[in-house]
Amino acid sequence: MQSKRGRLDRFLSNHLGVKRKDVRLMLAKNRVVVDGVTAADIGLSIDEFSHIVLDNQRVLQVNKPVYIMLHKPVGVVSATKDDLHRTVIDLLERPDKATLHIVGRLDLNTSGLLLLTNDGRWSRQLTSPESKVTKSYKVTLKNSLAEPYIEAFAQGMYFSYEDITTEPAKLEIISEYVAHVNLTEGRYHQIKRMFGRFRNPVLQLHRMSIGCLSLDSTLLPGESRNLTPQEVESIHR
Ligand code: URA
């Protein structure tokens, strides 16, 4: 999405209906905080995703950022356009849906928590390799699980195609055919390929959570809801 940049003083004077010199005074009195830092420069460049606080109150902008959690069903593609399959965007009924992008895709036959937003800064923080946000999956397998899987996932696996070794992953055996897996990265078909090392096909894959945000259990497959402001803030922790 194109970001709309502008000057802090212009935005505050329009938004609050005050003169620019009044905005200057607000800044001189340290009353304005932008993205967690007290604003000193009236010409500071902001956009619609800048977090602006005046006297400890969030100043909401017209072009509000949007953050959505969707319960992705199996058989729907994590893309904004597709010639063959229904897309996750097709599942949404909202006028602004064309402005949204997907934060960390799931395979066609994977279900579970999918995030969508129009805030590129937020999604980059979640998906950048440095952020190492934990994604938790429930995996149902064709063959029995065994203890050696735990060590192999924790050690990391070498994928020659990309010439990388996967980050340590936590595997917990829940029952004979069901495991929970925590990943801090998102390589192509990663979980299926990791179980592939044991020649154990994945029958079902479901993402349960991203960071500390779990899929809302009241959402049926295909349903979505806005994140609360607390969820938006908390997910990076
Ligand atoms: N690993 C996979 O193999 N597929 C997904 O959709 C997510 C993780």
Side-chain angles (χ1 to χ4, degrees):
M1 182 185 167
Q2 279 282 306
S3 119
K4 298 184 183 70
R5 297 205 75 85
R7 285 171 59 111
L8 176 65
D9 59 346
R10 188 173 303 140
F11 166 72
L12 281 177
S13 93
N14 287 341
H15 189 82
L16 304 169
V18 299
K19 297 205 173 73
R20 297 241 189 131
K21 76 171 184 355
D22 297 325
V23 175
R24 200 170 300 134
L25 273 175
M26 287 173 189
L27 265 62
K29 291 183 177 162
N30 295 335
R31 291 171 58 195
V32 181
V33 175
V34 177
D35 294 332
V37 179
T38 304
D41 174 10
I42 51 165
L44 184 72
S45 174
I46 57 155
D47 64 20
E48 63 269 46
F49 303 115
S50 300
H51 189 283
I52 302 167
V53 174
L54 170 64
D55 296 336
N56 300 317
Q57 293 266 332
R58 175 100 193 250
V59 181
L60 287 177
Q61 302 186 60
V62 182
N63 289 316
K64 274 209 324 199
V66 175
Y67 308 94
I68 295 169
M69 75 154 74
L70 169 79
H71 185 164
K72 180 197 171 299
V74 167
V76 172
V77 73
S78 293
T80 48
K81 281 200 180 82
D82 193 88
D83 293 336
L84 272 185
H85 300 281
R86 266 201 321 162
T87 71
V88 290
I89 299 288
D90 294 332
L91 298 174
L92 303 173
E93 282 172 20
R94 38 189 307 146
D96 57 1
K97 65 185 194 174
T99 67
L100 302 177
H101 62 266
I102 297 158
V103 188
R105 287 159 200 277
L106 291 174
D107 293 343
L108 182 67
N109 49 7
T110 303
S111 60
L113 176 60
L114 191 77
L115 299 174
L116 297 116
T117 184
N118 58 1
D119 182 350
R121 199 182 303 165
W122 187 78
S123 55
R124 273 193 299 281
Q125 281 173 13
L126 271 174
T127 52
S128 80
E130 300 79 49
S131 65
K132 298 201 192 301
V133 174
T134 303
K135 273 84 58 180
S136 302
Y137 297 85
K138 180 181 176 194
V139 195
T140 308
L141 295 137
K142 183 155 186 232
N143 305 321
S144 303
L145 286 148
E147 289 292 316
Y149 285 53
I150 298 172
E151 183 58 20
F153 275 62
Q155 283 287 317
M157 292 180 190
Y158 178 69
F159 289 160
S160 58
Y161 185 69
E162 298 101 324
D163 189 24
I164 53 111
T165 300
T166 56
E167 293 282 329
K170 182 165 175 253
L171 181 143
E172 190 186 351
I173 298 178
I174 304 296
S175 64
E176 190 172 357
Y177 299 102
V178 176
H180 287 175
V181 173
N182 289 353
L183 298 182
T184 55
E185 59 188 341
R187 304 283 176 188
Y188 178 69
H189 292 334
Q190 182 165 344
I191 290 185
K192 290 172 196 148
R193 290 163 79 196
M194 291 180 88
F195 283 103
R197 287 289 159 88
F198 293 92
R199 308 221 181 289
N200 197 347
V202 170
L203 298 183
Q204 285 174 8
L205 184 55
H206 179 83
R207 184 153 67 194
M208 303 183 290
S209 62
I210 300 175
C212 56
L213 182 65
S214 295
L215 178 63
D216 186 329
S217 58
T218 65
L219 290 178
L220 296 172
E223 290 184 344
S224 57
R225 70 157 170 83
N226 287 317
L227 298 187
T228 65
Q230 291 75 19
E231 287 172 334
V232 173
E233 296 294 330
S234 68
I235 193 160
H236 298 113
R237 279 185 235 129

